[in-house]
């Protein structure tokens, strides 16, 4: 007996046109298909010349290249993750605590308006004042702790 969304049924396998997928293998099949789709999208971007290298800020810092990491945060690509000293501090915290150093994810977070910040982005709020920076750092800590905000 299998339970899905509260309903019980006896299906133990799914028959496709070319094979039988055991019920217990479905999570792995979904993961493989998702991975294949992601790789196909990357290959398509490569063919069209739209490959963007994803730089890891923490890797740069670990390699003793902190200035380069800060410059990447300030320069960004089309989206800067920091514009001044306060937002740089907030962006480095977000990169380290939430996004494993990923520049793209950090820049997106820093520029996305947030309800917790009264519709401002973390980059805007952090640059306003020391209190704004503290609010952004507290928000990062809450997200890291798993609090939905």
């Amino acid at each position: 007996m299998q339970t899905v969304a509260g309903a019980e049924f006896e299906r133990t396998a799914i028959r496709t046109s070319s094979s039988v997928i055991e019920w217990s293998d479905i999570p792995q099949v979904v993961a493989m298909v998702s991975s294949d789709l992601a790789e196909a999208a990357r290959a398509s971007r490569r063919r069209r010349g739209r490959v963007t290298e994803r730089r890891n800020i923490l890797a740069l810092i670990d390699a003793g290249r902190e200035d380069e990491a800060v410059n990447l945060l300030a320069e960004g690509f089309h989206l800067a993750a920091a514009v001044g000293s306060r937002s740089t501090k907030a962006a480095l915290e977000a990169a380290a605590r939430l996004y494993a150093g990923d520049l793209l994810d950090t820049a997106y977070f820093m520029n996305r308006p947030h309800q917790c910040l009264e519709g401002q982005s973390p980059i805007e709020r952090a640059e306003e004042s020391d209190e704004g920076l503290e609010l952004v750092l507290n928000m990062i800590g809450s997200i890291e702790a798993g609090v939905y905000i």
Side-chain angles (χ1 to χ4, degrees), residues 55-61 65-97 99-111 123 127 137 140:
R55 307 286 306 269
N56 190 299
I57 297 165
L58 294 181
L60 291 172
I61 292 171
R65 298 162 49 193
E66 291 178 19
D67 290 342
E68 189 176 342
V70 170
N71 286 338
L72 280 174
L73 286 170
E75 292 170 12
F77 24 94
H78 295 290
L79 203 55
V83 295
S85 62
R86 289 187 187 111
S87 60
T88 296
K89 182 175 182 177
L92 285 171
E93 284 293 314
R97 296 168 66 183
Y99 302 110
D102 186 88
L103 177 60
L104 183 60
D105 290 339
T106 301
Y108 178 76
F109 169 79
M110 290 299 293
N111 283 276
I123 202 169
E127 285 300 326
L137 294 177
I140 290 168

Side-chain angles (χ1 to χ4, degrees), residues 10-122:
E10 292 188 32
R11 176 172 259 171
T12 59
I14 296 175
R15 183 172 301 283
T16 68
S17 60
S18 60
S19 64
V20 174
I21 301 171
E22 294 297 322
W23 189 258
S24 61
D25 293 334
I26 291 195
Q28 293 88 349
V29 170
V30 169
M32 286 184 337
V33 168
S34 297
S35 176
D36 289 348
L37 289 173
E39 180 52 39
R42 283 190 295 273
S44 176
R45 286 192 303 273
R46 280 192 297 271
R47 283 192 302 275
R48 291 188 314 250
R50 295 183 184 169
V51 176
T52 302
E53 180 185 357
R54 293 186 80 166
R55 307 286 306 269
N56 190 299
I57 297 165
L58 294 181
L60 291 172
I61 292 171
D62 288 343
R65 298 162 49 193
E66 291 178 19
D67 290 342
E68 189 176 342
V70 170
N71 286 338
L72 280 174
L73 286 170
E75 292 170 12
F77 24 94
H78 295 290
L79 203 55
V83 295
S85 62
R86 289 187 187 111
S87 60
T88 296
K89 182 175 182 177
L92 285 171
E93 284 293 314
R97 296 168 66 183
L98 302 177
Y99 302 110
D102 186 88
L103 177 60
L104 183 60
D105 290 339
T106 301
Y108 178 76
F109 169 79
M110 290 299 293
N111 283 276
R112 185 169 158 252
H114 200 283
Q115 186 176 26
C116 181
L117 303 174
E118 299 171 355
Q120 286 185 303
S121 68

